[in-house]
C-alpha cells in the first residue's frame, strides 16, 4: 500500500474513527473520506502523509482539535475539514509552502484569526465561516493573494481593514459578525456580503438606495482631523468634566448611590436593563399591555404567561409575567441569562420585581414557537428541508454552547419544541430558562425533577439526577420531531424503530427531498438524532 497514490472513500456511510493504519499509505497524494459518519479525532499519525496534496475530511462527525502534525504536509495544496465538530483555535502550524485552498467552516473553532495565516504565501481560498472566531480581522490578510475569503457567521468585531485589497476578490463574505465603522469604498460592490453587521455604515448619501441594510455614517472626518481636534479640545473637556463631576459629587450624592446600585428603585419597583437602549418604566409596560389584557397573551407556560408589548420607544418585546411563587426561579433565570451571549439563544433585555407583578423582558420572536409552526399546515410547508436542517443545527449550536461554552456548564432541563422560537428569517432560538441550573462540575447532584413529558430522558423514571445527557436526549427528540413534523411519540420506545426506513419517517406534508445536499444533510441530522436517544 506504500505505492498507493489516490484513495477516495467519500459518500460511503463509513462509521467509527479514522483508522490509524491508513497512515501506512505514506505515498498517498490524494485522500478523501468526506461525506461519511466518521467520528473521533484526527489521528496525530496523519502527519506521515509527507507527499499528500489533497486531504478532504469534510461532512463527518470528527471532533477534537486540529493536530499539530498537520503542518507536516509540506506538499499540501487543498485542505478541507469543514462541516465537522472540531474545536480549539485556528491552527498556526499549517503547511505554508504550497497550500492554496483551506476550508475549516462549519465547526466550533474559537479564538482569533492568527497573524501567521499570512505565511500561507500561495493561499487563494480561505473559508473560516460558521465558527465562534472572535477578535479583529488581522491587517496582514490584506497582504495575501486571496481571491475567495469567507469569514461570515462568526463573532468578529472592530473595523474592516482598509488594507484588504480591492483588485483580487472574486468573492468575499463577512456577513453576520459584529463589525463596525465605515465600509471601505473598494468593498461597496460586495455590500450584500456585509449584512448582519448592524454597526457598519456608509458615508456616501448617493448610494443610500443600494445600502438599505446599513445606516449612513454620522461623521466622515478623517482620523487625522479627529486627532487634531482632540489635541486642542481634550484638555478643555477634561477640565469641564472634572468640574461637573465635583459639582455633582457635592450636591447630588443620591445620583452616585443610584449608579452604584445594579437596580433602579422607583415606585416600589426593582428594575434592571441589559443591552437595551432606554429605560422602561413599570407604568409603560402596564399601559402597553392594558394591564396584561388577555388579547396580548401569546403563550402560556408552567412559570407564567407571555405577552407581546409595543412599547413607547417603538420596540416590540415579549414580557413573561411570572407567578408570585416563582421568585427564586426568576433570580435563577436572570443570573443564567445575563451571562449568555449566543446567536441562537433568546436575548434577555431586563426584569422587574414589583409588589403586584414580576416579569422578564425578552427579545420578541415574530414566528412564535416551533411547536405551533409544525402543527400548522401552512407554516409547516414554509419549513422546507433545508430550513429544517438549519433549525436543528441552530438548536445544536445553542445546546453545545450551554454545555461547553459556559463555565460552569449550564443544563437547560426543558428542551422541547415549545421552547424553540423562530424569528422572521426562520432562525431558531432556545428559550425558557425557568428550569435552568448551573451544573457544578464537582457535583453530579441536580435533583429537582423538571422537564416536559415526551422530551425527558427515560432514565429520569428511575432517578431524578439531571446532567447534560438529559438535554442531549431532549435535543434528539426535538430533532426527530422536526424531521417527522410531529412528536415521535410511541416510536421512541417501539420495536418498529429498528426496521423502519428513514423516508417513511419524514413529514409527508413536504415533497421527499430530491436535492443531493438536502438528502445528505437529512441523513446526517437523523443519524445525530438517533445517537442522542
Amino acid at each position: 500500500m506504500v505505492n498507493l497514490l489516490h484513495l477516495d472513500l467519500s459518500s460511503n456511510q463509513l462509521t467509527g474513527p479514522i483508522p490509524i493504519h491508513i497512515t501506512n499509505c505514506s505515498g498517498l497524494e490524494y485522500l478523501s473520506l468526506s461525506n461519511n459518519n466518521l467520528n473521533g479525532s484526527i489521528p496525530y499519525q496523519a502527519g506521515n502523509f509527507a507527499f499528500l496534496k489533497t486531504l478532504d475530511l469534510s461532512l463527518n462527525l470528527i471532533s477534537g482539535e486540529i493536530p499539530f502534525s498537520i503542518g507536516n504536509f509540506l506538499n499540501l495544496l487543498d485542505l478541507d475539514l469543514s462541516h465537522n465538530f472540531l474545536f480549539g483555535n485556528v491552527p498556526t502550524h499549517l503547511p505554508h509552502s504550497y497550500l492554496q485552498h483551506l476550508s475549516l467552516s462549519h465547526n466550533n473553532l474559537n479564538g482569533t484569526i492568527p497573524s501567521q495565516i499570512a505565511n500561507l504565501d500561495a493561499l487563494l481560498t480561505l473559508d473560516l465561516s460558521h465558527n465562534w472566531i472572535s477578535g479583529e480581522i488581522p491587517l496582514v490578510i490584506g497582504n495575501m493573494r486571496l481571491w475567495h475569503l469567507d469569514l461570515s457567521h462568526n463573532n468578529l468585531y472592530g473595523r474592516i481593514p482598509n488594507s484588504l485589497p480591492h483588485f483580487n476578490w472574486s468573492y468575499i463574505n463577512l456577513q453576520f459578525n459584529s463589525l463596525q465603522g465605515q465600509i471601505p469604498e473598494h468593498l461597496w460592490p460586495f455590500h450584500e456580503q456585509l449584512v448582519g453587521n448592524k454597526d457598519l455604515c456608509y458615508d456616501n448619501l448617493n448610494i443610500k438606495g443600494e445600502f438599505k441594510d446599513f445606516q449612513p455614517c454620522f461623521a466622515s472626518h478623517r482620523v487625522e482631523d479627529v486627532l487634531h481636534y482632540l489635541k486642542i479640545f481634550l484638555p478643555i473637556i477634561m477640565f469641564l468634566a472634572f468640574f461637573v463631576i465635583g459639582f455633582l459629587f457635592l450636591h447630588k450624592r443620591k445620583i452616585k448611590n443610584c449608579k452604584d446600585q445594579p437596580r433602579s428603585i422607583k415606585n416600589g419597583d426593582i428594575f434592571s436593563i441589559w443591552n437595551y437602549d432606554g429605560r422602561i418604566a413599570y407604568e409603560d409596560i402596564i399601559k402597553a399591555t392594558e394591564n396584561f389584557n388577555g388579547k396580548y397573551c401569546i403563550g402560556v407556560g408552567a412559570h407564567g404567561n407571555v405577552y407581546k408589548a409595543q412599547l413607547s420607544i417603538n420596540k416590540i418585546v415579549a414580557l413573561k409575567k411570572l407567578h408570585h411563587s416563582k421568585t427564586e426561579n426568576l433570580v435563577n433565570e436572570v443570573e443564567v441569562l445575563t451571562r449568555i451571549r449566543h446567536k441562537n439563544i433568546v436575548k434577555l433585555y431586563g426584569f422587574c420585581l414589583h409588589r403586584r407583578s414580576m416579569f422578564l423582558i425578552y427579545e420578541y420572536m415574530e414566528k412564535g414557537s416551533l411547536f405551533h409552526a409544525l402543527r400548522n399546515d401552512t407554516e409547516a410547508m414554509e419549513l422546507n428541508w433545508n430550513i429544517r436542517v438549519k433549525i436543528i443545527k441552530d438548536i445544536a449550536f445553542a445546546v453545545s454552547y450551554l454545555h461547553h461554552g459556559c463555565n460552569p456548564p449550564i443544563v437547560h432541563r426543558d428542551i422541547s419544541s415549545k421552547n424553540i422560537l423562530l424569528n422572521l428569517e426562520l432562525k431558531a432560538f432556545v428559550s425558557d430558562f425557568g428550569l435552568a441550573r448551573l451544573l457544578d462540575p464537582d457535583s453530579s447532584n441536580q435533583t429537582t425533577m423538571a422537564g416536559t413529558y415526551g422530551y425527558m430522558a427515560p432514565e429520569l423514571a428511575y432517578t431524578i439526577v439531571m446532567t447534560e445527557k438529559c438535554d442531549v436526549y431532549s435535543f434528539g427528540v426535538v430533532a426527530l420531531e422536526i424531521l417527522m413534523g410531529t412528536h415521535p411519540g410511541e416510536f421512541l420506545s417501539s420495536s418498529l424503530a429498528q426496521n423502519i426506513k428513514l423516508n417513511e419517517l419524514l413529514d409527508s406534508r413536504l415533497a421527499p427531498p430530491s436535492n443531493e445536499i438536502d438528502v445528505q444533510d437529512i441523513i446526517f441530522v437523523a443519524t445525530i438524532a438517533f445517537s442522542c436517544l
Side-chain angles (χ1 to χ4, degrees):
M1 301 293 282
V2 176
N3 297 323
L4 184 64
L5 300 179
H6 188 107
L7 180 58
D8 188 347
L9 299 177
S10 60
S11 304
N12 278 296
Q13 299 184 6
L14 300 177
T15 60
I18 299 174
I20 295 178
H21 61 261
I22 201 173
T23 60
N24 295 332
C25 304
S26 55
L28 276 177
E29 295 182 0
Y30 181 95
L31 174 60
S32 176
L33 303 176
S34 67
N35 195 23
N36 284 292
N37 295 314
L38 298 173
N39 54 28
S41 58
I42 301 174
Y44 183 85
Q45 294 85 345
N48 295 342
F49 295 123
F51 302 100
L52 201 62
K53 295 181 179 180
T54 298
L55 176 60
D56 188 353
L57 303 179
S58 62
L59 292 165
N60 278 289
L61 309 176
I62 300 171
S63 58
E65 297 186 0
I66 300 174
F68 188 84
S69 61
I70 209 160
N72 297 338
F73 300 146
L74 300 181
N75 297 301
L76 198 63
L77 299 175
D78 302 293
L79 177 60
D80 191 348
L81 305 179
S82 63
H83 293 271
N84 281 289
F85 294 93
L86 298 170
F87 56 80
N89 295 330
V90 177
T92 60
H93 46 275
L94 293 167
H96 56 82
S97 299
Y98 303 106
L99 190 62
Q100 296 180 358
H101 305 286
L102 174 62
S103 179
L104 304 177
S105 67
H106 293 82
N107 279 289
N108 293 318
L109 299 177
N110 52 31
T112 60
I113 301 175
S115 59
Q116 292 89 336
I117 203 84
N119 295 334
L120 305 176
D121 301 324
L123 197 65
L124 300 175
T125 301
L126 176 60
D127 189 349
L128 302 177
S129 63
H130 293 270
N131 280 289
W132 306 108
I133 300 172
S134 58
E136 299 185 353
I137 300 175
L139 296 176
V140 293
I141 286 186
N143 301 327
M144 303 176 72
R145 299 190 303 143
L146 294 171
W147 58 267
H148 180 111
L149 176 65
D150 193 344
L151 304 177
S152 62
H153 295 271
N154 278 291
N155 297 319
L156 298 171
Y157 55 80
R159 295 178 177 270
I160 300 176
N162 285 318
S163 61
L164 289 183
H166 61 279
F167 50 84
N168 284 344
W169 306 114
S170 65
Y171 181 82
I172 180 173
N173 191 346
L174 304 177
Q175 291 180 345
F176 296 100
N177 281 285
S178 298
L179 299 172
Q180 60 190 41
Q182 183 177 318
I183 300 174
E185 183 175 351
H186 62 270
L187 292 182
W188 287 357
F190 301 97
H191 64 87
E192 292 183 356
Q193 278 71 50
L194 302 177
V195 299
N197 295 280
K198 62 183 181 65
D199 293 324
L200 285 180
C201 63
Y202 62 92
D203 67 345
N204 188 338
L205 296 179
N206 295 326
I207 59 175
K208 181 177 181 180
E210 301 176 29
F211 281 62
K212 60 181 183 300
D213 295 311
F214 305 97
Q215 296 294 325
C217 299
F218 291 105
S220 58
H221 302 291
R222 298 180 60 187
V223 174
E224 293 82 2
D225 294 334
V226 174
L227 293 176
H228 173 73
Y229 287 117
L230 280 177
K231 290 179 181 179
I232 297 175
F233 293 107
L234 186 58
I236 300 174
I237 294 173
M238 291 181 64
F239 172 78
L240 292 175
F242 280 118
F243 176 80
V244 172
I245 291 173
F247 178 80
L248 293 175
F249 180 79
L250 293 174
H251 298 282
K252 296 185 178 181
R253 289 180 177 273
K254 291 184 179 180
I255 294 179
K256 180 178 181 301
N257 293 334
C258 182
K259 290 181 179 178
D260 288 340
Q261 296 176 358
R263 302 172 182 174
S264 311
I265 301 178
K266 178 182 178 183
N267 299 329
D269 304 344
I270 302 178
F271 195 82
S272 181
I273 292 289
W274 291 276
N275 301 327
Y276 201 62
D277 54 358
R279 182 183 297 277
I280 308 172
Y282 174 78
E283 292 79 6
D284 294 331
I285 293 174
I286 292 298
K287 181 180 179 181
T289 60
E290 299 180 20
N291 197 18
F292 296 100
N293 190 300
K295 67 182 180 181
Y296 296 99
C297 185
I298 57 175
V300 178
H303 300 280
N305 299 341
V306 182
Y307 297 82
K308 176 182 177 182
Q310 173 79 51
L311 299 175
S312 58
I313 54 176
N314 296 322
K315 180 74 174 181
I316 299 178
V317 297
L319 303 175
K320 182 176 179 180
K321 185 181 181 184
L322 303 172
H323 304 316
H324 282 277
S325 60
K326 302 298 182 180
T327 305
E328 293 181 359
N329 285 39
L330 170 66
V331 175
N332 175 68
E333 188 162 0
V334 170
E335 288 180 350
V336 171
L337 282 179
T338 52
R339 299 189 186 106
I340 289 178
R341 298 290 185 273
H342 192 275
K343 59 184 179 182
N344 295 118
I345 294 178
V346 177
K347 184 184 298 182
L348 172 70
Y349 288 136
F351 74 96
C352 180
L353 298 180
H354 190 271
R355 58 180 175 271
R356 288 173 294 174
S357 299
M358 299 181 293
F359 54 86
L360 299 170
I361 305 170
Y362 286 105
E363 180 181 11
Y364 175 67
M365 294 294 159
E366 297 84 352
K367 287 289 188 177
S369 74
L370 175 64
F371 178 86
H372 288 102
L374 292 175
R375 282 150 184 81
N376 181 295
D377 289 343
T378 302
E379 295 183 24
M381 294 291 287
E382 293 182 42
L383 305 179
N384 60 39
W385 294 118
N386 179 262
I387 292 175
R388 296 194 187 201
V389 169
K390 288 182 178 179
I391 289 174
I392 294 173
K393 290 182 178 180
D394 288 342
I395 302 170
F397 285 138
V399 175
S400 176
Y401 171 80
L402 293 175
H403 292 178
H404 306 291
C406 297
N407 186 22
I410 297 172
V411 179
H412 185 289
R413 295 161 53 103
D414 193 16
I415 294 175
S416 69
S417 58
K418 291 183 179 180
N419 288 333
I420 307 299
L421 304 182
L422 305 175
N423 65 4
L424 284 176
E425 289 76 33
L426 298 177
K427 183 178 179 181
F429 297 78
V430 174
S431 70
D432 196 351
F433 282 74
L435 298 174
R437 294 292 184 273
L438 292 177
L439 182 63
D440 186 345
D442 298 327
S443 172
S444 61
N445 293 324
Q446 295 292 327
T447 56
T448 302
M449 190 68 171
T452 300
Y453 287 106
Y455 299 88
M456 297 167 61
E459 58 264 28
L460 291 180
Y462 309 99
T463 176
I464 56 174
V465 176
M466 302 290 293
T467 67
E468 294 100 322
K469 294 180 180 179
C470 298
D471 282 352
V472 172
Y473 179 88
S474 300
F475 164 76
V477 177
V478 173
L480 279 183
E481 184 175 355
I482 294 171
L483 295 178
M484 297 172 65
T486 185
H487 188 279
E490 296 181 358
F491 173 78
L492 295 174
S493 57
S494 172
S495 58
L496 296 176
Q498 302 284 335
N499 303 316
I500 198 167
K501 296 180 179 180
L502 178 58
N503 61 350
E504 298 175 0
L505 288 177
L506 299 181
D507 192 344
S508 60
R509 292 173 294 185
L510 297 182
S514 55
N515 182 288
E516 182 178 353
I517 295 178
D518 286 343
V519 172
Q520 293 174 357
D521 284 344
I522 290 172
I523 294 174
F524 175 74
V525 296
T527 302
I528 295 293
F530 281 113
S531 66
C532 293
L533 302 177

